[in-house]
């Protein structure tokens, strides 16, 4: 089992081949978008790529990173043809070893059979549940020109211009969110370099002052998953929808949602997905009233810090 500061060359190829094999077999990506980006481009100092080879291919892979609170966060996957051979247990033991005495959080995407069994057997507890919800886009859709305050205009993201303003509002809007609220300039630019990035689907709401200054109030960043990634056909996503705390009460969230969904529908997409924390009952209820239904579940398992 190789523990690498960063997977490169053949090790990177093998890990990516494993990720794709698991996605095809399971119908769900085995790693989060952030973990995949860190696998392909490297992550913050202290992170690790863990690779277990078998007969010229990757049998298991894990990504391990500091979580910012003194603990560790991990995700791992076992090759579909090599499961039920103890590799999942071996990888779990390895990430526990690398995390030392610190707390450890492990994401299981899709809540596949075996993930709960493994987590429970190791004494881990369910800490967070992330719902994937989906809604058809066929039929009558949201209004493409919703009512906005007179001094607010919505326009597409401008690469190279709007990054800092968006990051500031994103951090404020998601101050309570352990992943989204901590997005950095590098995180944003990595996503801008991805093939799926389309500034036309990244909508920003600005307040225009009489003196010509502009203040960003919120945004709806949409994404399109290509055919074969999350479904046989392309699927849209409510990727990041956030409103600055100071702009709450202006109904911008509803307007930006409608504009984003209208954009996705204009792309000819038949379905849209989003992710929401299960315990955010108000948001879940709102999405269900809007036509979304529960589709899949990601679970974060937690091992507390060990006492010395």
């Amino acid at each position: 089992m190789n523990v690498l500061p960063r997977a490169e060359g053949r090790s990177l190829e093998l890990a990516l081949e494993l990720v794709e094999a698991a996605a095809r077999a399971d119908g769900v990506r085995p790693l989060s978008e952030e973990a995949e980006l860190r696998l392909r481009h490297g992550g913050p100092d202290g992170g690790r790529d863990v690779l277990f080879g078998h007969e010229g291919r990757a049998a298991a892979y894990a990504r391990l990173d500091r979580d910012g609170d003194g603990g560790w966060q991990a995700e791992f996957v076992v090759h579909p043809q090599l499961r039920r051979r103890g590799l999942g247990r071996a990888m779990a033991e390895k990430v526990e070893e690398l995390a030392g005495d610190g707390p450890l959080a492990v994401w299981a995407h899709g809540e596949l059979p075996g993930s709960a069994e493994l987590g429970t057997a190791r004494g881990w507890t369910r800490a967070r549940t992330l719902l994937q919800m989906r809604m058809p886009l066929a039929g009558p859709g949201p209004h493409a020109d919703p009512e906005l305050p007179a001094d607010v205009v919505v326009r597409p993201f401008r690469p190279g211009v709007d990054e800092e303003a968006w990051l500031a509002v994103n951090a404020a809007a998601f101050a309570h969110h352990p992943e989204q609220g901590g997005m950095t300039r590098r995180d944003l630019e990595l996503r801008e370099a991805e093939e799926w990035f389309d500034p036309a689907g990244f909508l920003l709401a600005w307040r225009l002052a009489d003196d010509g200054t502009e203040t960003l109030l919120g945004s709806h960043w949409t994404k399109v998953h290509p055919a074969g990634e999350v479904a046989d056909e392309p699927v849209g996503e409510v990727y990041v929808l956030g409103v600055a705390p100071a702009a709450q009460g202006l109904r911008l969230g509803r307007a930006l949602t409608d504009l984003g969904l209208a954009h996705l529908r204009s792309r000819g997409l038949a379905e849209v997905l989003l992710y929401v924390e299960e315990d955010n009952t108000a948001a879940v209820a709102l999405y269900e009233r809007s036509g979304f239904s529960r589709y899949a579940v990601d679970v974060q398992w937690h091992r507390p810090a060990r006492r010395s």
Side-chain angles (χ1 to χ4, degrees):
M1 192 174 294
N2 295 321
V3 180
L4 308 167
R6 178 180 176 185
E8 297 179 299
R10 184 56 179 160
S11 293
L12 176 57
E13 292 176 4
L14 291 172
L16 291 173
E17 288 171 4
L18 168 55
V19 169
E20 294 304 324
R24 289 192 300 270
D26 301 329
V28 62
R29 304 296 294 181
L31 303 178
S32 65
E33 179 187 61
E34 185 62 35
E36 284 199 43
L37 285 170
R38 291 180 176 183
L39 167 60
R40 288 193 277 122
H41 302 289
D45 291 342
R48 293 289 185 271
D49 290 313
V50 184
L51 195 65
F52 182 75
H54 176 74
E55 297 181 350
R57 63 181 169 182
Y61 166 78
R63 176 70 200 182
L64 186 72
D65 284 290
R66 287 285 189 182
D67 66 6
D69 294 319
W72 294 86
Q73 184 164 293
E75 303 178 38
F76 61 86
V77 54
V78 175
H79 197 287
Q81 296 177 357
L82 298 173
R83 292 172 181 169
R84 298 293 178 180
R85 301 186 185 186
L87 289 173
R89 182 178 67 253
M91 191 60 82
E93 291 173 352
K94 191 63 179 181
V95 297
E96 285 186 326
E97 174 191 327
L98 292 170
D101 293 333
L104 172 66
V106 180
W107 278 105
H109 299 284
E111 200 175 25
L112 300 173
S115 61
E117 178 184 334
L118 177 61
T120 302
R122 302 210 63 78
W124 301 345
T125 56
R126 293 169 68 111
R128 292 169 60 191
T129 301
L130 189 66
L131 300 179
Q132 182 191 133
M133 305 183 75
R134 295 195 181 191
M135 180 182 76
L137 284 174
H143 202 289
D145 187 24
E147 183 176 349
L148 293 167
D151 60 347
V152 173
V153 61
V154 175
R155 63 175 181 239
F157 179 85
R158 298 168 295 178
V161 177
D162 292 332
E163 281 84 355
E164 292 304 323
W166 183 83
L167 285 166
V169 169
N170 182 70
F174 293 97
H176 61 287
H177 195 285
E179 289 93 19
Q180 182 61 39
M183 186 174 287
T184 66
R185 178 74 181 242
R186 182 175 185 274
D187 294 331
L188 176 54
E189 290 175 346
L190 282 175
R191 287 159 175 79
E192 288 182 57
E194 291 289 288
E195 289 185 7
W196 61 262
F197 179 74
D198 177 13
F202 193 169
L203 305 175
L204 276 60
W206 298 87
R207 170 171 282 153
L208 310 181
D210 292 338
D211 62 3
T213 59
E214 302 178 347
T215 303
L216 184 61
L217 302 180
S219 67
H220 184 182
W221 187 355
T222 67
K223 177 178 180 178
V224 178
H225 296 269
E229 185 170 277
V230 297
D232 291 338
E233 301 297 325
V235 175
E237 180 179 348
V238 177
Y239 186 58
V240 184
L241 175 65
V243 175
Q248 297 293 333
L250 299 180
R251 299 181 63 83
L252 284 180
R254 180 71 267 172
L256 285 166
T257 298
D258 288 350
L259 287 167
L261 292 177
H263 169 78
L264 293 172
R265 182 175 279 103
S266 75
R267 296 283 305 271
L269 302 172
E271 191 173 34
V272 61
L273 65 84
L274 58 78
Y275 291 91
V276 62
E277 299 280 349
E278 185 180 48
D279 62 3
N280 189 346
T281 54
V284 172
L286 173 63
Y287 292 136
E288 288 178 335
R289 289 196 300 271
S290 299
F292 284 89
S293 59
R294 303 180 187 211
Y295 182 85
V297 174
D298 293 345
V299 176
Q300 187 188 75
W301 294 87
H302 183 255
R303 186 208 71 179
R306 292 171 174 169
R307 295 179 180 178
S308 56

